[in-house]
Amino acid sequence: MSSLFSQPAPKSSIFGNPGNQSTATSSSQPQQSQTSGISSLFANLQTQPSSQPAQDSLFPSLGTSQPSQSGQTGLFQNLNSSQPQQQTSSLFGQRQPATSQPAASSLFAPQATTGALGASQPSQAQTIENGQQPPAPPRLSQPAYFDSLLEKGKKRARDADGGTSFNELPGLQLGLSDIARRVREIGGVGSQLPAGRAADSKAHYLLAASGVNLGTTRRDLDALKVPTASTAAINVPLEWDPDTNRYMDQMQQQSTLKMIAEGIERAHRNFDAYLDENIDINWEAQRRRIYEHFGLASNVSERADAASQISTGVRGSFGRSTRRGQTTNGDQSKQSMLGRSIFGQSSLQKSVIGTPNTSIKTASLFADVEDRSGQGAISDDRFSRDKQTKFAEKVQVLNRARLQEKPHPILHEFKEVQIQPGGESPSQLIDAYRALIDIVREPLNPQNVNQTDVPKQRQFLNDYLDETPNSARQVEIRKRILDGSRRSLEQQFFEGVESLINRNAREANLGGVPTATNKIRAYIRVRDVRKDLKPDELELQKIHDIEPLWAVVYFLLRCGLVQDAADYVREHAAPFRAIERNFVTYIMSYAKDKDRRLPRDLQDRINTEYQHKARMAPENSLDPYKMACYKIIGRCELTKRTIEGINQSSNDWLWLQFCLAREVNRVEEVAGDVFGLEEIRESVSEIGQRHYQKGQEGLGGYGTYFHLLILAGMFEQAISYLYPYTYVAAVHFAIALDYYGLLRVSDQPGAETDLLTYNTKDLPQISFGRMLGYYTRDFRTSNLDAAVDYLVLICLNIDLPGAAGKAQASLCHEALRELVLESREFAQLLGDIHKDGTRLKGTIEQRLDLIGLSDQEMFLKTVTVQAASVADDNGRTTDAVLLYHLAEDYDNVIVIVNRALSDSLAVSLSEPEPQLSPLKPRQQQQGQGGQQQQEPSPNSSFSLTAVSEPSTLARNMISLYDSNPLYLARIRPQNRQTCGILLRLSTVKSHIQSQNWAAALDTIAGTNLLPLAAHGSIPAIRAHAATTNQLPQEVKRNLGNLLLWCIMAVGGQREVLQAQKGGYEDQGREGVREELKGVGRDLMCFAGLVRYRLERGVWEAVVKAGGDVGGY
């Protein structure tokens, strides 16, 4: 018979064939093994394979010893593995060497190796398939271990019922039942875990490995919970208390709590409405912009359209507001009209035009622009201010031409201002204007030139903004830049040739007909006399030992006179053929081709000749001008784009780069012949990184590198580089470039802080709108018209494709709105309306066509209404009244007037009446021709709103609207009646302050707000009290003050009648006094009925005044 704790008998068992030196089911013996350490949840349960045959058993496969494969994974990996092991892996990270001494073979016996969970389990699992029995090692009994094991079992039972350390127990202390429970928990089959315990602890380890403190994070998240106000105490019904005073106190307390709760709820609603109205960010547009940034725009539009079709507005989604979806269509249209942010721009964004403070450098407003005032920047002196004024005049002329849709030579106009003396502007800025003129091919007088050859506004937009490098548009614009820059350098050099000849007329010895060839001959003579034509050790090839023929050809090519050079070679064909017989053919073919390229056969021949001469000729035997002509005509050795033996300036080197560059189809071109504008730009960028970094100006100052950038067509980098040195010049270069569509402007949120940014394809872009807005800081306080002229230029980019054009228009409208609110020159900027309805257009309205607004209605909704809304939110009542009036929103005018009048009435008699901020007086503006514009008529809306008293403002506006039925038709009757009541209350207050008691009582009786004619009738008093809930809020909030004034008037009139005693009218006066006393009682009764609707402190004042007049 088998014993539980002893060696089993050799007989059949339910778990196999115990006995015969085999391990029984109730005992386990890990064998001495030499296995390599493999870690798992139940690692290192290993026994040696048994060679004994299997015996009959209920489970014949139990006891089979299967060798474990290395790398095997699983929950019970390496269980009873027969692999040899050197060390065992512990659950706690320790490794213990395996001993050769056999361990105890009991189910409850401790293991000699405490390596991993389950190390004490039997090894029958390895003998299941083969039915073999492992040999039984000698037994070691440890009865003292059972007591500690029992205590640990009890502890596990307590922890399993909800303890916190159950999952943290070491693996060696888990038995079979514990293992089964853990398996069920991991597999999701077991019962639910107790509350407060995590279902899976893997997330804790992952977060902890990432440095997340779970406890601290949990506390922070719990702290974010918004406490909800409990209304249980407010809605508890009152219990009847026989003590009337106590019951009334309870009722008053509950009423107070209800009013507080209603006030908080109303504040929440008002705050939500304010957010809806003022922070109307178009999240859908923002979402699409984010996806476009990461190149996912193709699928986003389809998903957005599908989402817009199925969205009901109640369920929120990314880019959609839940609260927005709950509004009606009418509310949405009203909010979209009154919202101060359009096309996804929030009113809380950074200001577009900045703060008008000339003491702060404009360049410092951009985060990526350094202050380089100490490195050659133009100071804020008289010259720069004069130049700003002249530039403003040119911009005004430009806008006038745009309104007339006529071409305008803006580059010539700006160059004329830049040429004027004064300041420290480098001469390279003028050269940059000349380069742009050659690139654009802008004529000085467009009216005298064929209109088809005159560049139009935004003509090069599509070509320049094409982002495909090898497209036909990009190739065309790069050709234009190459040709224009080369032509500019050639003209500049020819002007230098003429200047040198004029300064050295005797050495030049020009004589004869001053043709271009003769001028080059004279120029060579001057250079030869000055000993800078060639190095001393070289000899130039000459005709009849007089004229260096190769030098003449080179300088003709340098001046861009290719045809003159070909004619010169043709005239001297014999000498040229004697020296180089093929050169005549080369230059003739070069001059005939419009792209200045040789055919392939001639190209190969001239390259061969050039390479042969450069390698085989003896030293100092070649004419450097001859090699230069070969290099220019044949584009030879493009890897070495310099000319040796000739004195060259930076412009000469730059001209050579543009002369060798060609824009061709790079797919069809030979790899060695590919050299275009992109390679020039790389060279210019490398020069800038080496010599013109931060804090360096390089050779020739900042103007030289700016000129290089313009010639290379790197317009955005040029503007960004020039801006810290002279922002005045940078702004006007940007205006000229943007006028022709040669500037890539930014529409990203990052452009709020940076001047130069890059789009998703790494193309540079300039924050054009904000640059113009910041520029107006210097003069918009004194010259609003000039500021408007600059700001409307932002809408030059309204023709950009997609949402970019709308964003630029929105930026322009935002800048104009900020200018209107900052200057408060509403009549000058927005216009005025006279009493007869005649409208006087303002500066902005005169430029509607330039800001993308087709008619007056769009202008009113886009600019005026938004400005009025901001002024109203900021508490500028007079500004808001005038702006809403100019926007023809007369109902809102009355609403604002009612609110201001109600606020003034709420002030007690002992305090001074609040005053409104009056409008700025209109300044006399200089019109065209130096004539002053006339002042507005006294009946204009501007004059009517230029007051400081709310009552006067209300009377002015009501009188204006009453005189015109068209105005009254747009005002709701309720608002009109409310304004009339408030005006009467204002009259009552003025009577009370002047102690005109009788007039005050008569006016109050006309309002029918108080029961002055109740004559003690309680139902009549109750009826008046019931109607107070139907009063407008502006009137209701002043009902307490009106009640107090009425009681004061009753008391004051009774005192007046008391002082007039004597004479035959005493009986009549006494009757009036008694009637007034009855009125006082009625008022006290009325006050008791509306006691809890009065403002704080009004009830006490009413009780005191009622006692004085005998109301009770």
Side-chain angles (χ1 to χ4, degrees):
M1 181 176 181
S2 176
S3 174
L4 183 63
F5 305 109
S6 61
Q7 182 71 20
K11 59 183 293 186
S12 177
S13 172
I14 191 173
F15 295 106
N17 296 321
N20 298 328
Q21 304 299 322
S22 299
T23 304
T25 58
S26 59
S27 64
S28 68
Q29 176 64 37
Q31 301 297 321
Q32 180 180 356
S33 59
Q34 303 296 326
T35 329
S36 61
I38 305 176
S39 65
S40 70
L41 183 61
F42 299 97
N44 306 325
L45 294 180
Q46 301 154 347
T47 59
Q48 295 179 357
S50 177
S51 61
Q52 295 183 6
Q55 301 179 8
D56 295 337
S57 172
L58 181 61
F59 302 99
S61 63
L62 196 64
T64 302
S65 177
Q66 294 290 345
S68 175
Q69 300 295 331
S70 63
Q72 179 182 359
T73 60
L75 184 62
F76 300 92
Q77 175 181 327
N78 301 330
L79 189 63
N80 297 326
S81 175
S82 62
Q83 300 285 340
Q85 175 179 337
Q86 297 298 334
Q87 289 182 348
T88 58
S89 175
S90 173
L91 181 65
F92 305 99
Q94 300 177 356
R95 292 184 178 272
Q96 300 180 0
T99 61
S100 60
Q101 183 178 359
S105 173
S106 174
L107 177 65
F108 304 97
Q111 298 295 321
T113 303
T114 59
L117 182 64
S120 64
Q121 298 303 315
S123 60
Q124 300 94 314
Q126 293 181 347
T127 63
I128 292 177
E129 295 183 2
N130 298 331
Q132 298 178 358
Q133 296 180 354
R139 295 178 288 109
L140 292 177
S141 61
Q142 296 182 1
Y145 176 72
F146 301 131
D147 294 337
S148 61
L149 189 61
L150 181 60
E151 292 296 330
K152 293 178 181 179
K154 293 179 179 180
K155 184 173 182 290
R156 283 199 306 274
R158 290 193 301 269
D159 293 339
D161 292 337
T164 58
S165 61
F166 180 69
N167 289 330
E168 301 175 0
L169 289 176
L172 292 177
Q173 298 183 7
L174 295 179
L176 288 176
S177 60
D178 301 326
I179 294 174
R181 186 184 303 110
R182 289 293 300 272
V183 171
R184 288 195 299 270
E185 292 175 358
I186 295 175
V189 183
S191 59
Q192 297 292 333
L193 293 176
R197 295 174 58 191
D200 191 358
S201 60
K202 292 182 179 180
H204 295 268
Y205 294 112
L206 291 175
L207 293 175
S210 301
V212 178
N213 192 334
L214 295 180
T216 305
T217 305
R218 178 69 177 273
R219 288 193 298 269
D220 294 341
L221 293 176
D222 293 339
L224 293 176
K225 295 180 179 179
V226 180
T228 57
S230 176
T231 58
I234 301 176
N235 298 326
V236 173
L238 293 177
E239 297 182 359
W240 172 253
D241 194 332
D243 190 349
T244 305
N245 294 331
R246 186 180 302 172
Y247 178 78
M248 294 298 295
D249 291 339
Q250 293 178 2
M251 187 169 62
Q252 181 181 7
Q253 183 179 5
Q254 188 175 15
S255 301
T256 305
L257 292 177
K258 285 184 178 180
M259 287 190 297
I260 294 174
E262 291 176 357
I264 294 175
E265 185 179 359
R266 184 169 58 254
H268 288 169
R269 289 196 304 268
N270 293 339
F271 181 72
D272 292 340
Y274 177 82
L275 292 180
D276 282 342
E277 180 181 352
N278 300 306
I279 312 181
D280 184 16
I281 301 178
N282 191 340
W283 293 108
E284 188 68 25
Q286 296 289 345
R287 182 172 73 97
R288 293 190 180 186
R289 186 175 300 157
I290 292 172
Y291 278 107
E292 288 176 0
H293 178 77
F294 291 102
L296 303 175
S298 58
N299 298 327
V300 168
S301 58
E302 300 177 0
R303 291 197 297 265
D305 295 339
S308 62
Q309 293 176 2
I310 64 175
S311 177
T312 59
V314 178
R315 187 185 71 177
S317 61
F318 182 77
R320 297 185 181 276
S321 173
T322 304
R323 189 169 59 248
R324 278 277 176 189
Q326 297 173 354
T327 58
T328 61
N329 295 334
D331 294 338
Q332 289 180 353
S333 62
K334 182 177 180 180
Q335 289 173 358
S336 64
M337 180 185 70
L338 297 180
R340 296 194 312 277
S341 60
I342 52 180
F343 303 117
Q345 294 190 357
S346 172
S347 60
L348 299 181
Q349 65 183 357
K350 188 177 180 180
S351 174
V352 180
I353 61 177
T355 305
N357 189 353
T358 57
S359 61
I360 302 177
K361 291 293 183 182
T362 305
S364 63
L365 293 178
F366 288 106
D368 60 338
V369 175
E370 294 184 356
D371 184 10
R372 301 182 184 178
S373 57
Q375 303 177 18
I378 298 178
S379 59
D380 186 14
D381 53 9
R382 180 175 59 86
F383 296 106
S384 63
R385 289 194 298 270
D386 292 343
K387 190 165 291 186
Q388 281 183 328
T389 303
K390 295 176 182 178
F391 272 125
E393 295 174 356
K394 299 298 183 181
V395 171
Q396 184 179 8
V397 176
L398 170 65
N399 286 331
R400 193 179 301 120
R402 291 175 60 205
L403 287 173
Q404 299 173 0
E405 298 182 356
K406 294 181 179 180
H408 184 71
I410 181 175
L411 290 170
H412 285 88
E413 296 287 343
F414 285 171
K415 187 189 74 172
E416 179 183 347
V417 177
Q418 192 67 43
I419 290 177
Q420 295 180 1
E424 302 175 0
S425 300
S427 60
Q428 289 85 353
L429 298 183
I430 303 174
D431 296 337
Y433 274 117
R434 291 175 176 173
L436 289 177
I437 291 173
D438 289 326
I439 292 174
V440 176
R441 300 169 191 172
E442 179 187 87
L444 179 59
N445 297 313
Q447 292 77 14
N448 302 333
V449 182
N450 188 3
Q451 295 300 311
T452 57
D453 299 332
V454 177
K456 307 297 190 300
Q457 174 181 331
R458 310 289 287 175
Q459 177 174 335
F460 310 107
L461 173 67
N462 296 328
D463 295 347
Y464 186 77
L465 297 185
D466 193 346
E467 297 180 352
T468 305
N470 296 324
S471 64
R473 291 179 174 178
Q474 269 293 308
V475 172
E476 182 64 27
I477 195 65
R478 289 199 295 266
K479 283 184 178 180
R480 177 178 287 270
I481 293 174
L482 283 176
D483 295 342
S485 299
R486 185 187 66 250
R487 189 163 49 250
S488 173
L489 292 171
E490 291 169 350
Q491 291 178 359
Q492 183 179 356
F493 181 80
F494 189 71
E495 291 176 359
V497 168
E498 292 180 336
S499 176
L500 182 64
I501 294 174
N502 293 332
R503 292 196 308 268
N504 302 273
R506 186 177 62 180
E507 291 83 357
N509 191 18
L510 180 58
V513 180
T515 60
T517 305
N518 290 334
K519 290 182 179 180
I520 293 300
R521 290 189 177 111
Y523 175 75
I524 292 174
R525 285 193 287 269
V526 174
R527 292 280 300 269
D528 191 24
V529 171
R530 298 173 59 178
K531 304 297 182 181
D532 61 349
L533 182 63
K534 65 177 181 63
D536 295 336
E537 64 274 8
L538 292 178
E539 290 295 333
L540 303 180
Q541 295 179 351
K542 302 179 180 180
I543 301 177
H544 307 300
D545 295 333
I546 299 175
E547 184 177 299
L549 70 168
W550 294 109
V552 174
V553 175
Y554 169 77
F555 285 115
L556 285 173
L557 294 176
R558 177 65 181 86
C559 294
L561 304 174
V562 179
Q563 190 59 46
D564 292 341
D567 295 340
Y568 177 80
V569 172
R570 186 186 305 110
E571 292 174 3
H572 303 82
F576 276 101
R577 291 187 185 276
I579 302 173
E580 296 292 341
R581 61 175 182 172
N582 295 326
F583 183 77
V584 178
T585 305
Y586 297 152
I587 195 170
M588 293 302 173
S589 178
Y590 181 82
K592 291 179 181 179
D593 190 85
K594 63 177 182 178
D595 292 333
R596 299 292 186 261
R597 300 194 66 190
L598 297 179
R600 173 51 55 187
D601 56 342
L602 295 181
Q603 181 74 43
D604 295 339
R605 287 167 55 185
I606 194 173
N607 282 331
T608 303
E609 293 182 12
Y610 180 85
Q611 296 293 338
H612 178 75
K613 297 179 186 302
R615 294 177 181 178
M616 306 301 297
E619 186 178 0
N620 297 329
S621 63
L622 290 177
D623 190 333
Y625 291 100
K626 172 184 175 181
M627 300 301 293
C629 292
Y630 267 84
K631 177 179 281 291
I632 293 170
I633 295 175
R635 300 179 71 236
C636 303
E637 199 176 2
L638 291 179
T639 57
K640 185 179 180 182
R641 298 183 298 275
T642 56
I643 300 176
E644 298 180 356
I646 299 177
N647 295 329
Q648 287 185 306
S649 64
S650 59
N651 284 347
D652 294 331
W653 175 86
L654 193 60
W655 169 81
L656 180 62
Q657 312 307 306
F658 283 98
C659 191
L660 297 178
R662 297 291 187 276
E663 284 298 329
V664 294
N665 189 345
R666 303 199 172 202
V667 178
E668 302 175 357
E669 189 72 10
V670 180
D673 293 342
V674 174
F675 179 73
L677 184 61
E678 290 299 327
E679 287 72 19
I680 295 179
R681 289 174 175 174
E682 293 177 0
S683 301
V684 172
S685 299
E686 184 178 355
I687 292 173
Q689 293 175 1
R690 289 184 178 181
H691 306 288
Y692 295 94
Q693 284 292 339
K694 298 178 180 179
Q696 302 178 1
E697 292 185 14
L699 183 62
Y702 66 89
T704 301
Y705 186 57
F706 173 75
H707 187 212
L708 286 176
L709 292 172
I710 291 293
L711 290 173
M714 305 170 68
F715 302 130
E716 292 82 10
Q717 295 92 329
I719 300 301
S720 176
Y721 178 78
L722 182 64
Y723 192 83
Y725 295 102
T726 165
Y727 63 88
V728 177
V731 166
H732 292 88
F733 269 107
I735 291 173
L737 289 169
D738 197 53
Y739 175 77
Y740 287 112
L742 293 175
L743 192 69
R744 188 177 288 105
V745 299
S746 174
D747 60 343
Q748 297 181 358
E752 294 184 4
T753 57
D754 295 337
L755 176 62
L756 180 67
T757 56
Y758 292 86
N759 61 8
T760 56
K761 294 190 177 181
D762 203 28
L763 296 176
Q765 50 190 10
I766 286 291
S767 182
F768 181 72
R770 295 186 181 276
M771 180 175 62
L772 290 183
Y774 295 160
Y775 175 71
T776 60
R777 299 168 68 244
D778 297 343
F779 54 84
R780 65 172 179 257
T781 303
S782 58
N783 194 350
L784 280 176
D785 290 345
V788 173
D789 282 322
Y790 276 97
L791 293 180
V792 299
L793 291 176
I794 301 176
C795 276
L796 279 171
N797 304 288
I798 200 173
D799 55 353
L800 293 177
K806 294 182 179 179
Q808 293 298 317
S810 172
L811 191 67
C812 176
H813 302 159
E814 188 80 9
L816 292 174
R817 181 180 62 81
E818 291 183 10
L819 178 65
V820 169
L821 293 176
E822 177 189 287
S823 63
R824 300 183 66 194
E825 297 288 351
F826 304 118
Q828 178 184 351
L829 296 177
L830 301 178
D832 201 355
I833 298 178
H834 295 283
K835 189 173 182 180
D836 57 357
T838 305
R839 185 177 184 85
L840 178 63
K841 290 185 177 182
T843 304
I844 298 177
E845 193 171 355
Q846 293 173 0
R847 295 163 174 80
L848 287 183
D849 295 337
L850 301 182
I851 59 177
L853 300 178
S854 57
D855 53 13
Q856 176 183 337
E857 183 178 358
M858 291 185 62
F859 165 71
L860 296 177
K861 290 181 179 180
T862 306
V863 179
T864 312
V865 174
Q866 294 180 14
S869 179
V870 175
D872 188 18
D873 292 339
N874 295 337
R876 294 157 60 173
T877 303
T878 53
D879 295 355
V881 167
L882 178 60
L883 290 172
Y884 274 122
H885 179 76
L886 296 177
E888 300 180 1
D889 192 356
Y890 308 122
D891 188 64
N892 253 332
V893 172
I894 299 301
V895 170
I896 296 174
V897 167
N898 290 345
R899 187 169 62 246
L901 194 53
S902 177
D903 293 339
S904 65
L905 292 175
V907 178
S908 63
L909 297 174
S910 60
E911 298 178 2
E913 184 176 353
Q915 300 293 316
L916 301 176
S917 177
L919 291 172
K920 294 174 62 176
R922 173 184 283 181
Q923 301 292 334
Q924 290 186 353
Q925 299 294 329
Q926 294 289 335
Q928 298 181 7
Q931 297 179 358
Q932 291 186 349
Q933 299 179 357
Q934 296 180 356
E935 289 289 324
S937 59
N939 63 345
S940 67
S941 60
F942 182 85
S943 301
L944 293 176
T945 54
V947 294
S948 59
E949 296 180 358
S951 58
T952 306
L953 177 63
R955 289 188 179 91
N956 290 343
M957 301 313 297
I958 285 295
S959 62
L960 174 64
Y961 295 155
D962 287 343
S963 62
N964 194 331
L966 297 177
Y967 294 158
L968 286 178
R970 299 187 181 184
I971 302 175
R972 289 183 295 176
Q974 181 182 359
N975 293 334
R976 175 63 182 86
Q977 295 172 4
T978 301
C979 185
I981 295 174
L982 292 175
L983 285 175
R984 293 182 183 179
L985 296 185
S986 177
T987 304
V988 171
K989 186 176 182 180
S990 61
H991 288 327
I992 295 297
Q993 291 175 339
S994 61
Q995 296 184 358
N996 192 354
W997 313 117
L1001 291 174
D1002 292 339
T1003 307
I1004 294 174
T1007 61
N1008 199 25
L1009 296 176
L1010 298 180
L1012 299 184
H1015 303 292
S1017 175
I1018 298 300
I1021 298 175
R1022 289 182 180 274
H1024 271 84
T1027 57
T1028 56
N1029 291 329
Q1030 303 176 0
L1031 295 176
Q1033 182 63 31
E1034 292 82 1
V1035 178
K1036 188 187 302 184
R1037 64 175 298 197
N1038 291 287
L1039 188 61
N1041 288 335
L1042 178 62
L1043 183 61
L1044 179 60
W1045 298 339
C1046 188
I1047 295 176
M1048 293 174 59
V1050 169
Q1053 186 63 23
R1054 294 184 76 246
E1055 292 178 359
V1056 170
L1057 294 176
Q1058 181 68 25
Q1060 293 178 357
K1061 276 190 175 183
Y1064 60 93
E1065 295 181 351
D1066 287 346
Q1067 185 175 1
R1069 294 193 186 96
E1070 190 63 27
V1072 174
R1073 291 184 72 253
E1074 290 298 325
E1075 183 179 354
L1076 290 175
K1077 186 175 182 181
V1079 170
R1081 293 193 183 97
D1082 295 343
L1083 292 176
M1084 293 304 299
C1085 181
F1086 175 81
L1089 294 175
V1090 297
R1091 172 181 177 181
Y1092 300 109
R1093 305 173 194 171
L1094 303 178
E1095 299 289 336
R1096 177 183 299 179
V1098 175
W1099 169 251
E1100 290 77 4
V1102 168
V1103 171
K1104 181 179 179 181
D1108 296 340
V1109 301
Y1112 56 88

